[in-house]
Amino acid sequence: MNNVNANYELLLQKAEEYRNSLGYGEKIRIRVGSATCEHAAGSQIVYEEFQKHILSSGRQDIILEKTGCTGRCSCEPIVGVFIPNKLPVKYQLVKRETVHKIFMDHIVGGKVVPENLLDKTPDSCKYHILMCDGTGCGGALDSGLRFQFEMKIAELGLKPEEVWLTHIGCLGFCTIMDKKEQTVQVMVRPDNIIYKIKTIKDIEDIIDSHFKKGKVVQRLVAKEKPISQRFYNLYGDVAFFNKQTRIALRNAGVVNPESIYDYLHYKGFLALKEVLQKNDPEWVVKQITESKLRGRGGGGFPTGQKWASARKTQEKIRYIICNADEGDPGAFMDRSMLESDPFSIVEGMIIGGFAIGAQKGYFYIRAEYPLAVERISHAIEECRKHNLLGQNILGSDFSFDLEIRLGAGAFVCGEETALIHSIEGERGQPRVRPPYPTESGLWGKPTVINNVETFANVPPIIVYGPDWFAQVGTRNSGGTKVFALAGKIQRTGLVEVPMGTTLRDIVYGIGGGPAGGRKAKAIQTGGPAGGCIPEKYFDTPVDFDTLGKLGSIMGSGGMIVLDEDDCMVDVAKFYMEFCQDESCGKCTPCREGTKRILETLTRITEGKGTEEDLAKLERLAKLVKKSSLCGLGKAAPNPILSTLNYFRDEYEAHVRDKKCPAHKCRSLIHYVIDPEKCVGCTMCAKNCPVPCITGERKEVHVIDTARCIKCGRCFEVCRFKAVKKL
Amino acid sequence: MCTHNNIQNTDNWKEVEGFAKKALPEHIVAFIEECRQDANPESKLIKVLQLVQEHFGYLGRTQMDAVAQLLQVPMAKVSGVATFYHFFRLVPRGKYLIRVCLGTACYVKGAERVVDKFKEELGIRFGETTKDGLFSLEGTRCLGCCGLAPVVEINEEIFGQVTPDKIPAILEHFTEKESEIKTQ
Ligand SMILES: Cc1cc2nc3c(=O)[nH]c(=O)nc-3n(C[C@H](O)[C@H](O)[C@H](O)COP(=O)(O)O)c2cc1C
Ligand code: SF4
Ligand code: SF4
Ligand code: SF4
Ligand code: FES
């Protein structure tokens, strides 16, 4: 018998003592987002400004702290104000000037500042009810009950200021409770209580006792604690968040990423404790296998199977590596997880290390992510101090340590064999597989490489069980996937949804669709290795297999929404430029093929392409795909092949009519002034850098198309929409 | 042929070592010595080069030579690694390094026009440095702030939602900082 349990209890005790000594639970808390993106938006200044205000007010009852990034990028900096027994309030786009107002009005005066509320959330209600609309729980069968709740609230004359009801995606109950119970789940904020209701009487009791008298109806309180409860308690009122299911990102924006005690408080290292207590690596591998967790780095290889095959080798020295190279030029979920919840990635790696019998693990992080490196180093240090890394972890027989290695800006180093070369100090070039790294990897020893998000999912699988995780996803793929939603969309940011969610739900339901009521034309998934999926397939449920069938891939989870202004040929060219630049040059099809493909695409966008070029392009792309050595070359043609397949008309317009339908390709557009609309304000002529616009004041202006360099200035400055792009 | 172990026994090793140590700052020499105690010292080559670049702003021939000697890896390997990774720079750069994100999200949000504006304002192309040695211009891959596209990084500072018309003010911020330093 080991004393892992006792040691873990001691740690927990320490964490609680620490939190109590600071006055958690009684004091007001102000949490300022702190991550690369938050800093870019100016959150550090906001933090300092709050610091000054607290200092000069002399108040002792306020805790100012940092939290990670919740992934709601375009609203940053985000600040949360948590006053005990009040609804958590989140502010968006907080500037130095806003700080003063928030401090004076809200913290001192108790009045919320409405202008800056995150996504215009209901602010002043006393109770906020989140009603689970998930179809998983048995209660969903009886949808009548849901209406009853709303009707009763109206009937009893409760005003929106008192009780506010929001329907949300899924609280995550369906998978941890007995379906036979057939109840509907509702969460009540700010009390962070979940009720299971079955009858109208239940509803009446809640309204009477809880909402009117402030007394919780104990007989209806759920005993289970779903994983997303904390997240929903904080963010359940925000449309962008309450359709998401947060597992990998469960702590992003919830915990303080620089505090091991905060992490411990939120069930941190509970999974590690259970694993070490059981002391059975086979059991861990079995849990992971049964959870149907598939690698989130792009390949989608079953993680349990990978771990099992490393265990099978005779060699006793083994390594585990976390791939945090995140090279996809449109993905940032790994960065966010490393920065917002570093301890859970570390925990996932320690568990992985235990399962495969490794003594040492490496973090391979891009040098472009300095804050991620800082947070992970800090997390590793803290773990060493608390005996969660090093000799005899938590008093068990297991000893394990972690080290960070930095990437140096080469996309191909994300490929596992190249990554291994890079850690060994070599040029990061891939090699032929097999042998796979699980047989012969780092310094020839069996090595398991997993993505950041893959590791982030490991602790919850252990704590909540593999069945729960498997049920969240689709038949072949358990759990959720985090996507980095960007491009022509209203709400950009990180989206975590169950496998099998449709593209439409992601783009429109969560992302709010393109701005200004424009139409999305396509979505690019999987980065340079992926493809473009046209709007007509937006109802496809997303998982590894379905995206593959559409000629794209899941990849690491980049999702770029494209609209009518984006030229698909240009997008394909953009990715080809990337791949050509990043090709390591080891094998000919990729080294030469990407160059030739890029030349052809450039010709087409310049209006010099022929129809024959299209056929050539397709042949060459297929050849490169078939014969390249590593994943980079094998996937590089995907953007071309998918756009050729779905948007051939755009290619044809470029070569046949010498027109770019999206008016994007510079060589194929020209600017003219509409004499009907021009009022002769001279703005365009003043701004033209050539200058090639003539015309007297108050008279129609004319562009000399022969001399125009197509910079587009005139188009931007004309306030009368008289300049036309043709 | 000399192997890694007996190079230190050659006649002029002390002299070579002395030169090499002079070419690098103390903390890097100390770091290399620490690495040599490890099981796989050559695996720290990239880290060492990163430290050198952090200190000098680029990797000069002398410094690379010194690294090769002290870490005892062939010069061919050092330059092979230095040229393979985008992160390493072989020529000096300006005091402020402007890196315009050319990742996908930034690209679709108009990074190209941001680049054009920087080129126009500074009168330099990618990879070049202004005559006063103040600014260098580079493209870079996704900086991980796609939600704020287009993004520009200047030294360690990140600017989000950069449109061409914001660029003069951004540059001014740095030139002003410079003249403040000068007047002090
Ligand atoms: C060109 C190329 C780039 C890759 N980049 C990454 C990356 O940035 N991050 C990552 O986790 N996996 C990347 N991969 C996938 C890795 O090779 C590997 O499959 C993955 O890290 C395994 O982890 P997983 O099973 O947890 O997904 C890349 C693959 C290729 C071919
Ligand atoms: S496919 Fe490209 S990146 Fe991969 S080994 Fe060949 S040349 Fe290098
Ligand atoms: S800016 Fe527009 S309205 Fe004014 S002169 Fe030019 S085209 Fe005419
Ligand atoms: S596009 Fe540029 S060069 Fe051409 S007319 Fe307009 S402002 Fe002048
Ligand atoms: S694409 Fe520019 S920050 Fe990601």
Side-chain angles (χ1 to χ4, degrees), chain A residues 293-303 306-307 321-328 334 366 410-419 430 433 448-455 529 544 555-556 578 582 630-635:
Chain A
L293 172 66
R294 290 172 66 172
R296 303 296 196 242
F301 191 81
T303 306
K306 194 185 267 187
W307 291 10
I321 298 176
C322 175
N323 187 345
D325 196 39
E326 195 160 59
D328 171 356
D334 291 353
R366 292 178 73 191
F411 174 62
V412 70
C413 285
E415 197 279 338
E416 50 191 23
T417 58
L419 188 149
R433 297 179 305 178
V448 161
I449 300 185
N450 278 125
N451 169 259
V452 174
E453 191 182 333
T454 312
F455 283 123
F544 293 97
S556 52
F578 179 87
E582 294 292 344
C630 85
L632 192 150
K634 284 195 177 103

Side-chain angles (χ1 to χ4, degrees), chain A residues 673 677-685 693 699 701 714 717-723:
Chain A
I673 293 174
K677 286 197 174 149
C678 176
V679 300
C681 74
T682 75
M683 263 319 258
C684 57
I693 306 181
E699 274 171 30
H701 281 51
C714 53
V717 297
C718 177
R719 275 173 297 147
F720 304 93
K721 292 203 167 30
V723 182

Side-chain angles (χ1 to χ4, degrees), chain A residues 411-549:
Chain A
F411 174 62
V412 70
C413 285
E415 197 279 338
E416 50 191 23
T417 58
L419 188 149
I420 287 172
H421 286 149
S422 184
I423 293 186
E424 290 171 351
E426 307 279 340
R427 292 162 69 96
Q429 285 182 314
R431 63 160 172 79
V432 182
R433 297 179 305 178
Y436 287 92
T438 44
E439 292 158 48
S440 170
L442 195 57
W443 293 298
K445 307 293 182 202
T447 305
V448 161
I449 300 185
N450 278 125
N451 169 259
V452 174
E453 191 182 333
T454 312
F455 283 123
N457 279 309
V458 169
I461 292 175
I462 302 290
V463 173
Y464 293 90
D467 298 339
W468 157 77
F469 192 81
Q471 276 194 54
V472 174
T474 55
R475 207 159 59 89
N476 295 321
S477 179
T480 55
K481 177 75 193 95
V482 182
F483 296 101
L485 194 59
K488 305 292 178 58
I489 190 144
Q490 290 189 44
R491 307 188 200 120
T492 54
L494 291 181
V495 174
E496 181 171 356
V497 288
M499 296 273 178
T501 305
T502 66
L503 286 167
R504 193 174 303 284
D505 280 344
I506 297 172
V507 175
Y508 289 93
I510 297 173
R518 303 175 62 89
K519 249 189 82 186
K521 176 155 84 175
I523 188 160
Q524 207 283 343
T525 69
C532 293
I533 300 170
E535 206 268 345
K536 66 176 172 194
Y537 292 113
F538 274 15
D539 291 314
T540 310
V542 180
D543 80 7
F544 293 97
D545 311 324
T546 52
L547 289 186
K549 280 198 196 106

Side-chain angles (χ1 to χ4, degrees), chain A residues 329 335 409 426-427 570 575 581, chain B residues 80 85-87 104 107 141 144:
Chain A
R335 174 190 64 72
E426 307 279 340
R427 292 162 69 96
D570 186 62
Y575 283 114
D581 195 32
Chain B
Y85 294 98
H86 295 300
F87 186 80
T104 321
Y107 183 80
R141 300 293 181 220

Side-chain angles (χ1 to χ4, degrees), chain A residues 40 329 332 335 366 405 407-409 422-424 426-428 443 487-488 570 574-575 578 581-582 666 716, chain B residues 40 43-44 46 50 77 80 84-87 102-104 107-109 113 116 141-142 144 146-148 158:
Chain A
F332 52 95
R335 174 190 64 72
R366 292 178 73 191
R405 289 297 173 98
S422 184
I423 293 186
E424 290 171 351
E426 307 279 340
R427 292 162 69 96
W443 293 298
K488 305 292 178 58
D570 186 62
F574 168 81
Y575 283 114
F578 179 87
D581 195 32
E582 294 292 344
R666 224 183 242 191
E716 281 160 27
Chain B
N40 301 292
S43 79
K44 296 277 176 68
I46 295 174
Q50 273 163 346
K77 189 171 159 186
F84 181 83
Y85 294 98
H86 295 300
F87 186 80
L102 298 178
T104 321
Y107 183 80
V108 302
K109 288 279 191 116
R113 295 189 13 240
D116 286 345
R141 300 293 181 220
C142 181
C146 315
L148 300 171
I158 292 196

Side-chain angles (χ1 to χ4, degrees), chain A residues 151-162:
Chain A
M151 278 170 52
K152 272 278 175 248
I153 290 173
E155 215 173 275
L156 291 169
L158 286 169
K159 294 190 199 69
E161 300 92 81
E162 291 168 88

